[in-house]
Amino acid sequence: MSSLSRARVARRIAAGAAYGGGGIGLVGAAAVGLVLAEVQLAKRHVGNGHAHAPRADGLYGYAYAVQDGPPLRLTMLGDSTAAGQGVHRARQTPGALLASGLAAVAERPVEMCNVALPGAQSDDLDRQVAIALADTSRVPDVCVIMIGANDVTHRMPPTRSVRHLSAAVRRLRTAGAEVVVGTCPDLGTVEQVQQPLRWLARRASRQLAAAQTIGTVEQGARTVSLGDLLGPEFEANPRELFGPDNYHPSAEGYATAAMAVLPTVCAALGLWPADEERPDVSRREGFLPVARAAAEAASEPGTEVTAAMPTGPRGPWALLKRRRRRRVPATDPAPAPTPSA
């Protein structure tokens, strides 16, 4: 499928989400029986995705606590990928890695809270956002959402999926938080998934990722394509980048994802070098209609899309960037403070 075709599909899905249209199927009806059989076979190999993830909430970069000002607040929302399922140490989870990296860049401590739920679909984001915003005096400075894989495997209509994500982003932005969405990963690289489900899963993943990007950017937030979370690097190095269940990322896999997301998180908070905010033509960065930018990002992992000009000849425009990745340190959180009597 060409990038223009992907852009048209993504725009149709996003429009359906925005205006309450019916579901646009990602899988043809003739293939449903075979797909369901393949899904059940894959599930027997990888499990049902509802296992626990290490608890990584806490204060990171506490060596910077002597600096003036309160800690930055980072909240993780989403599914098992955001929760960090597949690793055994808190410091190996994406939330811990992002908090450590953000603290190093900002030279400020970062308080990280993770409300993500393994097995969650996009319709759980309403509950998670309510938790994240429960204390109005402690609104997160930045929220990272990783969601979409379970929407594909459970065949949630993509218009419904994007509608829930857009609503969550809108609530967080209205509350004052910056938002970065890691879009649906490429499920076509999971080893246990066989053809034709592998091709269908890849196509569905990319269509949803592009539509998620449109819905997110239109709410004033940013996206990072997480195709590399289960994409080319994982396909080439499955023993290194997949965890023991061959489905969720390993510690190295989460580090790869965190390196892709961290620059965008820092940029959202105004912490990235100003000269890197300008589009670099040599890296094929630039301004595009949002649907076109979303389609290109979905097919190229690690690509950032953010809102640019509100209107243009072909509707809203966005800035597509391919940021340089930055290795993030892995540190354990500081012990939680003991409540006073």
Side-chain angles (χ1 to χ4, degrees):
M1 183 181 290
S2 69
S3 61
L4 287 175
S5 296
R6 285 195 297 270
R8 284 194 293 268
V9 172
R11 170 55 69 189
R12 286 171 56 209
I13 293 171
Y19 298 109
I24 300 175
L26 295 175
V27 179
V32 169
L34 182 56
V35 168
L36 290 178
E38 291 286 355
V39 168
Q40 294 306 317
L41 180 62
K43 281 184 177 180
R44 284 199 292 271
H45 283 284
V46 303
N48 61 16
H50 290 278
H52 293 288
R55 194 68 180 170
D57 293 36
L59 190 69
Y60 291 79
Y62 49 91
Y64 299 111
V66 295
Q67 304 292 334
D68 293 334
L72 291 170
R73 298 191 182 97
L74 164 67
T75 298
M76 301 291 297
L77 306 92
D79 55 22
S80 57
T81 300
Q85 185 175 342
V87 294
H88 301 293
R89 296 180 179 275
R91 66 185 181 185
Q92 297 171 330
T93 62
L97 290 165
L98 287 172
S100 297
L102 179 57
V105 173
E107 296 186 344
R108 286 175 61 183
V110 174
E111 183 181 340
M112 197 278 290
C113 175
N114 197 324
V115 300
L117 178 68
Q121 299 176 53
S122 292
D123 55 7
D124 190 57
L125 288 176
D126 182 63
R127 181 192 64 83
Q128 295 183 28
V129 170
I131 297 173
L133 300 180
D135 187 345
T136 56
S137 67
R138 297 172 59 83
V139 173
D141 293 289
V142 61
C143 294
V144 175
I145 304 174
M146 297 180 178
I147 199 80
N150 294 313
D151 295 7
V152 174
T153 59
H154 290 77
R155 296 193 300 131
M156 176 184 286
T159 50
R160 181 183 169 201
S161 175
V162 174
R163 190 178 302 127
H164 284 296
L165 175 61
S166 297
V169 173
R170 182 166 55 252
R171 287 178 63 191
L172 292 169
R173 294 286 294 133
T174 300
E178 297 293 338
V179 181
V180 175
V181 174
T183 57
C184 182
D186 182 358
L187 298 178
T189 57
V190 179
E191 285 188 313
Q192 283 74 19
V193 177
Q194 303 300 315
Q195 294 291 10
L197 179 59
R198 181 183 291 263
W199 178 84
L200 292 168
R202 170 166 287 135
R203 182 183 179 192
S205 300
R206 290 185 177 184
Q207 287 180 355
L208 179 56
Q212 287 177 319
T213 295
I214 295 173
T216 298
V217 169
E218 289 182 344
Q219 298 302 326
R222 305 176 187 232
T223 63
V224 179
S225 169
L226 289 186
D228 64 340
L229 194 62
L230 296 172
E233 295 179 36
F234 284 61
E235 193 170 28
N237 303 289
R239 297 293 176 266
E240 295 178 13
L241 298 181
F242 280 116
D245 62 6
N246 291 322
Y247 185 82
H248 292 98
S250 64
E252 184 62 29
Y254 279 127
T256 300
M259 282 191 293
V261 174
L262 177 62
T264 300
V265 170
C266 293
L269 293 171
L271 299 173
W272 214 238
D275 59 346
E276 291 195 24
E277 294 306 296
R278 294 187 293 271
D280 186 341
V281 177
S282 68
R283 295 169 60 84
R284 295 179 294 114
E285 299 177 345
F287 297 96
L288 293 169
V290 64
R292 179 73 180 276
E296 290 201 14
S299 60
E300 185 171 345
T303 304
E304 175 189 319
V305 180
T306 186
M309 296 174 283
T311 59
R314 285 172 284 178
W317 282 57
L319 173 61
L320 184 146
K321 289 191 66 64
R322 297 171 173 87
R323 294 186 183 276
R324 294 175 177 83
R325 299 182 187 180
R326 178 164 182 158
R327 169 65 66 174
V328 297
T331 59
D332 288 311
T338 302
S340 57

